[in-house]
Amino acid sequence: MSLPPEKASELKQLIHQQLSKMDVHGRIREILAETIREELAPDQQHLSTEDLIKALRRRGIIDDVMKELNFVTDSVEQELPSSPKQPICFDRQSTLKKTNIDPTRRYLYLQVLGGKAFLEHLQEPEPLPGQVCSTFTLCLHYRNQRFRSKPVPCACEPDFHDGFLLEVHRESLGDGTRMADSTTMLSISDPIHMVLIKTDIFGETTLVASYFLEWRSVLGSENGVTSLTVELMGTESKVSVGILNIKLEMYPPLNQTLSQEVVNTQLALERQKTAEKERLFLVYAKQWWREYLQIRPSHNSRLVKIFAQDENGINRPVCSYVKPLRAGRLLDTPRQAARFVNVLGYERAPVIGGGGKQEQWCTLLAFLCRNKGDCEDHANLLCSLLLGYGLEAFVCVGTKAKGVPHAWVMTCGTDGAITFWESLTGHRYIHKPTNPDEPPVAEQPKPLYPYRTIGCVFNHQMFLGNCQPSDAVETCVFDLNDESKWKPMSEEAIKSVCAPGATTSLPPFPPLCASTIDASVTSNEIEMQLRLLVSEHRKDLGLTTVWEDQLSYLLSPALASYEFERTTSISAGNEEFQDAIRRAVPDGHTFKGFPIHFVYRNARRAFATCLRSPFCEEIICCRGDQVRLAVRVRVFTYPESACAVWIMFACKYRSVL
């Protein structure tokens, strides 16, 4: 394997730096003098290279050098493979552990060296070996690279000890192939987004904290190494939930560090520039809102949402929550993307005490790491994915029945067709507006969608307020270019605060991660657990249980067909399934089947839900002659370890009249 000349020179430079650090040259000179003094005869003046190498090997110098330069190829456990580049880590002495480190690139090595003052877990008992307990997991995102720590037991001082190697480089201005120097890195304003997730003993996840780490202080530190204490603020109460000890180190070491004054000045200028842009946008937004209210006083009650609070309580323009997002090879079609968003869990933002709904729009990383969120989080992600597929997509903000606030997605076809996408169910609805001026006898299209009113629509470039006489969705005309129906915001104003890189306060979008779930193994595990639960339940009722494996296997095509229909809206394969069941059920016997769908993998919880259905309970508790039971589980995996779990219970028995 040959290296390009510039990479070979960089590699030589790295080896030279390591040899200088070990003072190998000085040790060789000492051994050379000692060898000449001890081993050469007085009349012999020449020392061969072989003699010198033997002397170096005998004294262990060569072994020491090889040990320092040795690359080990063991696997990394703590990081989640996400980006095109495999995450890499060092050990605590910064000795290289991976062979795929590019010697021409600059890396930031981030170590998490424990936590403290997680006072909510002050009374948490020490977990016994093998005992299932609640855990903390730290998720990181930096410039298209994602990492995940090993889960550690929840405690007042959680034992985080993980290292993450983050590649730092510029991909513009032709600098992609050059090693970034201090000045270049100072201009890279992307923060490291850290999200702390708590997973309880039932597998339920909670967002504990979200933090944006400004890492560039390391550029002004001596030797390019600095230690920080990061105070994490809770997402529910906005009080401190704990402290993380973090160490940052540049690799290879910086040839020239910047003065701390230069670094602080740069950061202050960026903050000042961002604050000015945000101030100007706020002034413009207030002016736009005043003009909107002057059109019609009733506009004051419409759901026109210009700003939304994120998990840290920071107000951001809603347009900043959406951005074209490409799923690579993880999702193939827009409808598959809608199915993926649908199987992410739905959970309203937590609120302490009463007082209605807590408003919280999560950043994308927090939503993906928690694997669940509110309707706005689902709508923002679906809109971003549809924009990535080249569709003209918008997030709609309005209400459902009984005036409940809601968010969904709309796409506009080139032929003017309007399609609504419900991000929580994956359903699609074609919108055909009714004309309120038509006579009562005229037949009007009956809307199938659950939406009642609409206040505004937005994406990453546009924001439009509904200024039609009525905000009812069924009468709404979605001609977004007609300013008498939709009042637009200035695209330039939106771009000034929402375009990528426009301000340093905007969190960049992380890439999606492939699933780490083995669908076959997980399906088998859940199926075995359900068999055990059914057998125990029937035993309590005084019933015996006989399983028929062949009947269980015959249920698989039906489950695959149900998932295919959810993804494509096309039903297929039902005829073959029905024919196989008819053949498997003898004359005079009755067959009953009950399919059900979940987005979690907890067998006990799923079984409890199934028993609440009278149809399913009738199958599980079936009594009769020659009763044979069957259960089939099929797990369909999606990115971010989201999954659709289909379960079908069935029984056949001889009909006795």
Side-chain angles (χ1 to χ4, degrees):
M1 174 181 145
S2 60
L3 284 173
E6 65 275 8
K7 289 198 175 187
S9 63
E10 291 282 357
L11 189 57
K12 286 177 183 176
Q13 183 184 353
L14 288 173
I15 293 172
H16 178 73
Q17 287 176 354
Q18 191 65 34
L19 293 177
S20 301
K21 184 178 171 184
M22 295 172 61
D23 192 24
V24 170
H25 297 98
R27 293 167 71 183
I28 290 175
R29 277 195 292 273
E30 289 174 12
I31 290 167
L32 180 59
E34 187 180 325
T35 305
I36 291 173
R37 189 169 58 250
E38 293 179 0
E39 300 183 9
L40 284 186
D43 57 339
Q44 188 180 354
Q45 298 299 320
H46 179 69
L47 182 68
S48 67
T49 307
E50 290 79 6
D51 294 334
L52 181 58
I53 289 176
K54 279 181 190 173
L56 293 173
R57 195 183 299 278
R58 198 164 55 242
R59 285 163 175 78
I61 301 298
I62 290 179
D63 288 341
D64 289 348
V65 172
M66 294 307 292
K67 203 179 291 177
E68 285 293 327
L69 297 177
N70 186 36
F71 292 88
V72 184
T73 57
D74 57 344
S75 62
V76 182
E77 294 176 355
Q78 64 262 43
E79 296 92 4
L80 183 68
S82 58
S83 61
K85 293 192 176 292
Q86 181 74 13
I88 312 152
C89 85
F90 290 132
D91 67 11
R92 290 183 194 131
Q93 284 73 39
S94 297
T95 306
L96 294 174
K97 287 179 72 177
K98 300 302 289 177
T99 56
N100 58 347
I101 292 179
D102 187 341
T104 67
R105 292 296 177 97
R106 186 78 68 184
Y107 295 93
L108 174 66
Y109 181 39
L110 185 152
Q111 286 177 280
V112 184
L113 303 174
K116 56 187 178 183
F118 284 79
L119 300 179
E120 188 178 332
H121 302 278
L122 191 60
Q123 305 299 326
E124 204 91 10
E126 191 77 22
L128 299 171
Q131 180 187 358
V132 178
C133 61
S134 300
T135 59
F136 283 137
T137 307
L138 191 63
C139 305
L140 274 71
H141 168 235
Y142 177 71
R143 293 176 70 78
N144 225 35
Q145 304 162 77
R146 284 181 63 183
F147 305 86
R148 183 184 288 265
S149 73
K150 297 170 188 166
V152 300
C154 293
C156 183
E157 297 187 355
D159 188 29
F160 286 110
H161 278 286
D162 278 295
F164 309 99
L165 196 64
L166 286 61
E167 187 177 317
V168 185
H169 68 280
R170 284 186 72 96
E171 294 172 340
S172 59
L173 305 175
D175 290 340
T177 58
R178 294 215 315 258
M179 183 182 288
D181 57 16
S182 304
T183 310
T184 303
M185 288 189 288
L186 187 60
S187 67
I188 299 175
S189 59
D190 300 76
I192 300 168
H193 191 183
M194 306 169 68
V195 169
L196 184 63
I197 300 292
K198 178 184 175 182
T199 308
D200 68 16
I201 58 174
F202 304 108
E204 291 296 307
T205 55
T206 310
L207 176 62
V208 178
S210 172
Y211 185 83
F212 292 94
L213 177 66
E214 177 50 73
W215 58 274
R216 286 175 290 175
S217 59
V218 73
L219 301 176
S221 304
E222 190 177 351
N223 302 323
V225 181
T226 188
S227 295
L228 308 167
T229 54
V230 169
E231 185 178 19
L232 302 176
M233 307 302 287
T235 57
E236 293 177 21
S237 55
K238 307 298 179 288
V239 298
S240 176
V241 293
I243 293 171
L244 292 179
N245 296 319
I246 289 174
K247 182 180 177 184
L248 300 174
E249 180 178 352
M250 297 305 306
Y251 185 85
L254 296 170
N255 296 327
Q256 181 181 2
T257 57
L258 302 170
S259 73
Q260 200 63 53
E261 187 181 351
V262 169
V263 175
N264 292 340
T265 303
Q266 171 71 15
L267 300 182
L269 284 172
E270 287 178 4
R271 283 194 294 268
Q272 184 181 344
K273 187 177 176 184
T274 295
E276 181 62 15
K277 284 184 177 181
E278 290 174 346
R279 186 189 68 81
L280 290 173
F281 181 77
L282 180 60
V283 169
Y284 169 75
K286 286 180 176 177
Q287 176 63 29
W288 183 93
W289 178 245
R290 280 195 294 269
E291 292 172 359
Y292 182 72
L293 292 181
Q294 286 170 10
I295 298 172
R296 205 174 280 109
S298 61
H299 284 180
N300 194 37
S301 61
R302 294 189 180 183
L303 278 176
V304 179
K305 192 150 194 63
I306 304 171
F307 295 93
Q309 280 193 1
D310 67 8
E311 66 266 20
N312 289 320
I314 297 171
N315 274 318
R316 302 186 189 278
V318 291
C319 296
S320 69
Y321 289 89
V322 173
K323 174 190 166 187
L325 180 63
R326 286 163 54 171
R329 301 190 185 277
L330 300 178
L331 297 167
D332 295 320
T333 66
R335 295 192 189 190
Q336 196 179 12
R339 178 61 173 154
F340 157 59
V341 176
N342 155 223
V343 298
L344 289 169
Y346 168 63
E347 182 181 80
R348 295 179 65 171
V351 58
I352 300 173
K357 180 183 174 182
Q358 167 84 16
E359 170 108 330
Q360 178 179 290
W361 291 27
C362 281
T363 55
L364 183 54
L365 184 68
F367 176 37
L368 294 177
C369 292
R370 190 169 54 139
N371 241 241
K372 57 187 176 184
D374 212 333
C375 61
E376 294 88 357
D377 303 324
H378 286 79
N380 290 334
L381 175 56
L382 179 56
C383 183
S384 298
L385 287 165
L386 296 182
L387 287 168
Y389 281 110
L391 301 179
E392 187 180 10
F394 296 87
V395 175
C396 305
V397 179
T399 62
K400 293 194 295 185
K402 299 180 180 177
V404 176
H406 191 62
W408 66 97
V409 178
M410 171 184 80
T411 53
C412 307
T414 51
D415 58 353
I418 300 298
T419 306
F420 294 147
W421 303 62
E422 178 46 63
S423 57
L424 296 179
T425 62
H427 293 160
R428 299 165 67 253
Y429 308 97
I430 304 300
H431 171 66
K432 292 179 180 174
T434 57
N435 188 348
D437 299 327
E438 292 259 341
V441 291
E443 190 177 346
Q444 297 279 14
K446 185 172 175 60
L448 300 173
Y449 43 76
Y451 318 121
R452 294 292 178 265
T453 67
I454 182 166
C456 64
V457 301
F458 67 88
N459 61 18
H460 63 303
Q461 294 175 328
M462 300 170 69
F463 183 96
L464 302 113
N466 182 6
C467 52
Q468 295 170 61
S470 168
D471 61 352
V473 178
E474 58 185 2
T475 62
C476 192
V477 177
F478 287 92
D479 181 2
L480 302 181
N481 295 316
D482 186 346
E483 294 194 11
S484 68
K485 293 182 171 63
W486 294 92
K487 179 172 172 58
M489 268 195 173
S490 160
E491 290 189 28
E492 283 300 312
I494 294 170
K495 192 176 176 183
S496 70
V497 289
C498 296
T503 66
T504 56
S505 63
L506 282 183
F509 270 40
L512 296 182
C513 287
S515 177
T516 57
I517 296 171
D518 187 316
S520 300
V521 171
T522 308
S523 300
N524 284 335
E525 287 175 352
I526 298 174
E527 193 170 305
M528 289 301 106
Q529 291 170 26
L530 287 174
R531 282 195 176 200
L532 191 63
L533 290 166
V534 170
S535 298
E536 288 177 350
H537 186 73
R538 287 177 61 83
K539 187 178 178 182
D540 292 342
L541 298 173
L543 301 171
T544 58
T545 306
V546 182
W547 295 101
E548 187 172 315
D549 290 341
Q550 176 61 14
L551 185 59
S552 296
Y553 181 70
L554 295 183
L555 304 178
S556 294
L559 301 183
S561 175
Y562 298 149
E563 182 62 22
F564 183 74
E565 186 175 354
R566 287 288 181 103
T567 308
T568 62
S569 303
I570 300 168
S571 179
N574 201 34
E575 302 82 5
E576 293 90 341
F577 167 65
Q578 291 181 358
D579 188 58
I581 294 298
R582 287 193 191 100
R583 288 175 176 277
V585 179
D587 289 342
H589 284 64
T590 300
F591 171 84
K592 291 181 180 179
F594 176 80
I596 190 167
H597 166 256
F598 299 100
V599 295
Y600 51 80
R601 305 189 300 279
N602 187 322
R604 192 172 291 275
R605 180 179 164 195
F607 182 65
T609 304
C610 292
L611 283 178
R612 286 199 288 271
S613 163
F615 301 107
C616 187
E617 192 196 17
E618 189 180 319
I619 293 170
I620 292 171
C621 305
C622 180
R623 298 170 183 265
D625 186 22
Q626 297 182 23
V627 175
R628 298 292 181 269
L629 291 173
V631 62
R632 192 65 169 170
V633 176
R634 181 72 168 86
V635 174
F636 297 88
T637 58
Y638 287 90
E640 299 296 329
S641 297
C643 59
V645 179
W646 282 97
I647 300 173
M648 192 173 203
F649 290 99
C651 68
K652 68 175 184 180
Y653 58 93
R654 176 177 289 185
S655 304
V656 180
L657 297 175

